[in-house]
Amino acid sequence: MLKDKTILIGITAGIAAYKICELIRMYKREGANVRVMVTPNALNLVTVLTLESLSQNEVFVDNFDIKEYKPEHISLCDEADIMVIAPATANTISKVANGICDNLLTTTVCAFNKPIIIAPAMNTNMWKNQFVQENVSKLEKFGYNILNPESGFLACGTTGEGRLCSLDKIYNKTLEILNQNNILAGKKIVISAGGTIEKIDPVRYISNFSSGKMGTALADAAYKLGADVTLVSTFDINKPYNVVKVESALDMEKEILKFNNNVDCIIMAAAVADYRIKEYNNQKMKKTSDYEIQISLVKNPDILKELADSAKITKIVGFCAESENLIENAKIKIQNKGCDYLIANDISRKDIGFSSDENEVYILDNKLNIEHLDKSSKSEIARKILEKVFE
Ligand code: C5P
């Protein structure tokens, strides 16, 4: 059930640390790739050798174990689908809740932007401490999944609240979150990204300012949600999903049309040039004494319209970039193009769109219903667009 998933376990120095050896086995049994990091204090309770043998992976302890070019807290963040901190001590909980990064584990949590489960375990009085409780509430408020400790006999010899919750609870919560994040499992999605390049001669071309960020964010989000993704991009990028590199609008048309009616959805996020050079010059054009020269352009195919005209089973999503009268123009465009959804963004704003990492968009459907997505990161916007399209 956990095939293709990477679970990052963070072990802190609670006596329940020994139980996590069994949790690693539970995840491994279901096919997960398990990465483990421990706080330096936790090494008094469990050994690196045990954790490495069980996880079949290198175990990380501090920030200076760097063997690859990328620091571990970033590479492990990229790799993992979820992070599970168990047992979580009062110390680590309080540091995380206050953004403190004084070891590899706390630094990683600070950089981790995917789901995090925290399973606290500690002495009853520590658990009831007002600052600890305040920090737990703070984490809960910000979306961390807290699995409260249970009552029972504690290692310190007392009985009360503070015992690590059952491993089954941690395991089931992990499955629940990872499945929620799999809403596009079994779906095939093709996304175009970047600005097309229309060559004039071997050294010159016409293009546009598209950075490809929105299309790539959509492909990343679809992949994370479990879809089988193909990105048709004008940029050569290395991704864990299929990337087809194209250059011109005609290249893009050829690659994209192959997928119509063979996939569940095609999203045209690319800025496709409306015109291309009428006659490509095989040799570099020479500078002349003329003040003015003429280059003839001819119309490129409208890929989005072609897709929408022939789509029977594939959902077609287009983008529209407008510098004025955004909604009115978008309404006209979705009717002309005939696509199922149109994502409208205002390119007159400097803080969003083109090369920005943020966007604010309107989603129009073919019945002209409109939904506004507030300004946020392109990856957040991408996830919301996919959730809407596959509602
Ligand atoms: O017509 P306009 O360029 O404003 O429409 C934008 C939408 O149409 C985008 O989804 C873009 O990817 C797509 N498009 C296309 N082929 C073109 C021009 C735009 O598929 N030649």
Side-chain angles (χ1 to χ4, degrees):
M1 280 194 283
L2 293 172
K3 205 174 148 279
D4 295 330
K5 298 290 177 203
T6 295
I7 301 171
L8 175 59
I9 303 185
I11 305 178
T12 72
I15 187 67
Y18 76 93
K19 297 184 182 172
I20 307 310
C21 297
E22 182 55 29
L23 184 65
I24 296 173
R25 286 170 60 80
M26 289 163 81
Y27 289 142
K28 290 289 293 180
R29 231 175 269 138
E30 289 302 330
N33 174 32
V34 179
R35 309 299 312 248
V36 182
M37 56 173 60
V38 284
T39 58
N41 284 334
L43 281 187
N44 295 311
L45 303 161
V46 275
T47 71
V48 167
L49 184 61
T50 311
L51 300 171
E52 284 188 343
S53 308
L54 294 173
S55 68
Q56 292 161 331
N57 267 320
E58 188 182 353
V59 166
F60 297 99
V61 185
D62 63 46
N63 295 29
F64 302 99
D65 270 353
I66 298 169
K67 293 189 185 68
E68 294 167 51
Y69 78 97
K70 229 176 172 186
E72 271 89 12
H73 68 282
I74 301 302
S75 56
L76 291 174
C77 284
D78 289 348
E79 192 187 331
D81 298 288
I82 191 165
M83 183 166 184
V84 179
I85 308 176
T89 56
N91 179 47
T92 294
I93 287 172
S94 300
K95 287 194 285 193
V96 171
N98 289 284
I100 294 171
C101 309
D102 63 347
N103 59 39
L104 179 62
L105 194 148
T106 48
T107 310
T108 305
V109 185
C110 193
F112 201 78
N113 61 0
K114 285 167 267 185
I116 299 180
I117 296 177
I118 296 189
M122 64 198 75
N123 159 276
T124 310
N125 291 340
M126 287 174 85
W127 174 245
K128 296 212 161 132
N129 175 284
Q130 58 190 323
F131 300 116
V132 173
Q133 280 303 311
E134 210 174 282
N135 288 328
V136 169
S137 311
K138 205 162 146 188
L139 291 173
E140 214 153 22
K141 189 173 136 212
F142 285 100
Y144 291 73
N145 300 278
I146 310 288
L147 296 177
N148 280 341
E150 292 171 358
S151 278
F153 182 60
L154 302 180
C156 52
T158 56
T159 302
E161 219 177 319
R163 202 164 72 165
L164 182 74
C165 70
S166 73
L167 297 184
D168 279 343
K169 232 182 203 168
I170 304 178
Y171 177 80
N172 290 337
K173 189 73 190 171
T174 312
L175 272 190
E176 182 194 314
I177 294 173
L178 289 175
N179 286 339
Q180 263 172 20
N181 283 330
N182 239 359
I183 55 166
L184 298 185
K187 302 275 183 224
K188 288 188 177 160
I189 303 184
V190 175
I191 296 160
S192 69
T196 61
I197 288 178
E198 309 300 331
K199 281 186 172 170
I200 300 172
D201 67 17
V203 293
R204 303 179 181 96
Y205 62 81
I206 297 177
S207 190
N208 57 65
F209 291 114
S210 171
S211 61
K213 284 185 181 175
M214 193 63 236
T216 308
L218 277 160
D220 287 350
Y223 176 73
K224 276 189 204 147
L225 292 171
D228 173 346
V229 177
T230 297
L231 177 68
V232 179
S233 168
T234 59
F235 296 101
D236 203 358
I237 36 176
N238 193 10
K239 288 285 176 185
Y241 45 79
N242 185 28
V243 179
V244 179
K245 161 92 169 64
V246 293
E247 203 172 80
S248 65
L250 290 181
D251 284 350
M252 187 169 274
E253 182 198 32
K254 185 168 144 247
E255 292 303 328
I256 292 273
L257 288 187
K258 285 182 194 165
F259 292 100
N260 205 8
N261 293 317
N262 292 323
V263 294
D264 298 282
C265 178
I266 299 179
I267 306 181
M268 285 296 298
V272 185
D274 292 323
Y275 293 90
R276 66 178 179 277
I277 312 304
K278 189 173 177 189
E279 268 168 54
Y280 172 72
N281 296 276
N282 285 319
Q283 304 302 329
K284 184 183 169 196
M285 286 171 73
K286 292 270 179 275
K287 184 156 66 179
T288 66
S289 55
D290 297 341
Y291 176 65
E292 211 179 301
I293 60 161
Q294 304 275 341
I295 296 177
S296 293
L297 302 177
V298 290
K299 216 169 180 109
N300 268 329
D302 188 328
I303 308 170
L304 181 62
K305 193 161 173 13
E306 278 184 83
L307 288 169
D309 285 346
S310 59
K312 290 192 178 68
I313 52 168
T314 303
K315 282 184 205 200
I316 308 293
V317 183
F319 269 70
C320 95
E322 297 290 338
S323 55
E324 56 183 354
N325 304 328
L326 180 64
I327 301 295
E328 290 127 78
N329 286 332
K331 280 184 179 167
I332 297 170
K333 189 156 291 177
I334 193 169
Q335 285 166 305
N336 287 342
K337 300 265 190 181
C339 53
D340 299 293
Y341 293 92
L342 190 75
I343 317 301
N345 49 128
D346 180 351
I347 52 160
S348 68
R349 279 176 55 182
K350 290 277 167 286
D351 58 329
I352 54 169
F354 277 144
S355 46
S356 161
D357 289 326
E358 294 192 307
N359 211 350
E360 179 180 330
V361 302
Y362 293 84
I363 305 178
L364 279 78
D365 68 18
N366 52 13
K367 296 190 179 68
L368 300 186
N369 297 311
I370 301 175
E371 189 177 316
H372 176 231
L373 299 186
D374 285 337
K375 181 176 163 184
S376 62
S377 66
K378 283 189 172 168
S379 43
E380 188 65 17
I381 295 278
R383 195 178 49 77
K384 288 186 176 152
I385 292 173
L386 291 165
E387 279 172 4
K388 176 77 191 169
V389 171
F390 288 93
E391 204 167 45

